[in-house]
Amino acid sequence: MSQLSIVRNIGIAAHIDAGKTTVSERVLFLTGVTRKVGEVHDGKATMDFMKQEQERGITIASAAITCHWKDHTINLIDTPGHVDFTIEVERSLRVLDGMVAVFCAVGGVETQSETVWGQADLHQVPRIVFVNKMDRPGADFFLVIKQLRETLDANAVAFQLPIMEGDEFRGCVDLVNMNAWRYEGFERTEIPIPENMMGDVKEGRKNILEAVSDMDDVLMERYLEGGDFTVAEIKDVTRRAVLAMKVFPVFCGAAYKNAGVQLMLDAVVDYLPSPEDMPETRGTRPGNLDEALVRHADPSEPFSALAFKIIHDPYVGQQTFVRIYSGRLESGMSVQNTSSNFRERVGRIMRIKAKEREEMTSAEAGDIVALVGLKKTFTGQTLCSVDDPILLESIRIPDPVIHMSVKGKNQNEQEKLGKGLHRLAMEDPSFTIRSDEETGDVIIGGMGELHLEILVDRLKTEFAVECETGRPSVAFRESLVRTVETSYKHSKQTGGHGQFAHVVMRFEPLPGGDFEFQNAIRGGAIPQEFHSAIQKGIQDAMAAGVIARYPLVGVKAVLVDGTTHAVDSSEMAFRTCASMCFRHALTPGSVQLLEPVMKVEVATPDDYIGDVVGDLNSRRGKIVSMRRFRKGSQKIVADVPLSEMFGYSTPLRTMTSGRANYAMEFRTYQPVPQKIAEEIIRERAANR
């Protein structure tokens, strides 16, 4: 068995309040990392070590930790469940090999569950499922499996059955090893399989064999002939099915009562992939993006790694978390950052255990470690061998949907504010900072009200900044509604070499896209060397639209023709010309205002459905679906403009006597109705 084969790089992810951090804390205790179980409700969770996490009882930043189980090394990342911190899940899944998806046995598949599952599908991350909170009233293991199949289109297969005594969860039956366990606190006792469950157990075992047998022709033939498989055969073929994402084994337990986590850890070892099991890592040659390169999880290959997270520690400074895909890294080694074309020197290598750290002299393929000493490496950037460079795919960063102004109370605080904002933006790439050219205000952007609230709180507590904030505002956008073609000539004489550029451009709507540039010139009227400058000039102009100065999106720019001057044409001249051409082409009639529309999911008792639906309709919402998720309650899914959802929790509590709850996430941008758009434009103009 190779060293890499006993490594598991996994994440724990799910909807908020499904119990991810509680599961993680039990893992740390059972694997010997901690001697006392940390609890979310009392602010003592090891993985939630930030002050804001402890106060709110939620995970805000993904936390990495290394532990060991049955001679295997597990690099575990506990990710947030709140949609405002979805970037933490995105960048974690980008570097992980496997995932434990946690679902609440009562809540089932919820809004953020679907988002996380979709992110894992996008990154091709194999998963197992842990149905948590089986001890809660209303827990329904089989309903959750049904929702996994119907809502997520996942081939979810029960590998355990819960042992229930009335409404009480007492243990589980292991359908692979064909034994049963009874839980009493951390103690678990093996017991005979209850007689009254034998029929369900046989059916469950049959379902497993049927689900995995098509991975192996010999086993399929044996299954069709009515034969059974050995435990080793089931585990081997299940592992292959999980890696191919054809089967998602489902386990059950109650992490708070310390039930079921040991068997879940066994499943992590048995079924989730090692770095050796993953496909080769693909990249491109820096300077020639058409040349594909690959790296394998092999310490003997050239070094390559991806930076996926940055945190600032008051004692050691900046820590850059990296996933090493190939090769070997040693302290003091020089590496190339091919994303920024900058050479870095690795000061120290550390294995992180939440807020604790263990210094290492080296790390190699398959490891997830933190590096100290890097100066210009940010999230999504590639580090690699100086002699054999590669550029890996970066991490997708979502655009902010909400903005807020912030300023220091005096000049001294304003300087501290700038430093604090810079630090926070380095740690969280979904957090943006810009300066309003007309008002001089600093505008921060994020994924939701809670996201910005947490960041402002960190400014005050971690950076001691006394600051004031404005009201949150929606991140509107502008987009083209029709094709526009125009010509623009930029000519300027300043003594000596002047500036000359002439472009003929066509700008077309690009539904669902951001920006696309196309060269349609025939005969080389404008040399290739100026095309990049033209593209950058248009993107410069897109930063502020024509009707309310919101950023423009959905633009396809086609370079049709143009002319140059032998002496006065330059990249700067064409960049300026393209920018002016774009602004000249657009008129208020050719542009429309867009607003972020959220997917809102409300879980409400049947008694209040009419009130909830009526209220959502009054907020310009469109009901997408309604489905029953447990007896007496339904989930309503609606698309609602973000501008109508500020402070929604208070009226929802009032109209449902506090019995309903909701979650929302960004879905898309849609045109603003004309009357409302006119009000927004007038208000925007008045505030300039």
Side-chain angles (χ1 to χ4, degrees), residues 334-337 340-345 376 386-387:
S334 290
V335 296
Q336 185 72 19
N337 181 331
S340 62
N341 195 26
F342 183 80
R343 189 167 296 188
E344 296 268 29
R345 183 181 177 276
K376 294 186 178 180
V386 174
D387 299 325

Side-chain angles (χ1 to χ4, degrees), residues 467-590:
C467 59
E468 300 172 344
T469 59
R471 289 190 307 125
S473 61
V474 175
F476 291 100
R477 295 285 187 268
E478 297 180 25
S479 72
L480 280 175
V481 292
R482 58 185 174 83
T483 298
V484 180
E485 186 167 335
T486 190
S487 171
Y488 193 86
K489 183 180 291 184
H490 173 65
S491 181
K492 189 175 183 181
Q493 288 299 135
T494 56
H497 287 314
Q499 292 187 32
F500 179 87
H502 171 223
V503 295
V504 179
M505 303 287 305
R506 184 171 69 249
F507 301 105
E508 304 172 359
L510 185 66
D514 186 13
F515 175 72
E516 182 180 314
F517 180 77
Q518 179 184 339
N519 173 28
I521 287 182
R522 298 182 181 274
I526 298 178
Q528 184 74 32
E529 63 195 81
F530 296 136
H531 292 184
S532 177
I534 294 170
Q535 182 174 338
K536 289 176 182 176
I538 297 165
Q539 290 176 302
D540 291 342
M542 287 174 62
V546 299
I547 54 176
R549 296 193 62 78
Y550 287 110
L552 271 140
V553 295
V555 175
K556 179 179 180 180
V558 182
L559 179 59
V560 178
D561 202 357
T563 56
T564 63
H565 187 278
V567 176
D568 293 344
S569 289
S570 65
E571 288 191 11
M572 180 56 69
F574 270 98
R575 184 166 182 168
T576 302
C577 181
S579 181
M580 296 302 294
C581 179
F582 185 70
R583 291 193 178 101
H584 179 72
L586 300 190
T587 62
S590 64

Side-chain angles (χ1 to χ4, degrees), residues 27 50 56 68 114 124 147 161 191 210 247 258 337 347 384 411 420 429 431 436 454 513 529 552 592 648:
V27 168
M50 289 172 57
R56 291 166 174 79
H68 298 86
E114 295 182 55
Q124 294 290 290
Q147 291 175 353
L161 294 180
I191 61 173
E210 183 177 312
V247 169
N258 313 315
N337 181 331
C384 63
Q411 185 59 37
F431 171 57
D436 190 306
I454 295 289
E529 63 195 81
L552 271 140
Q592 66 181 350
Y648 179 61

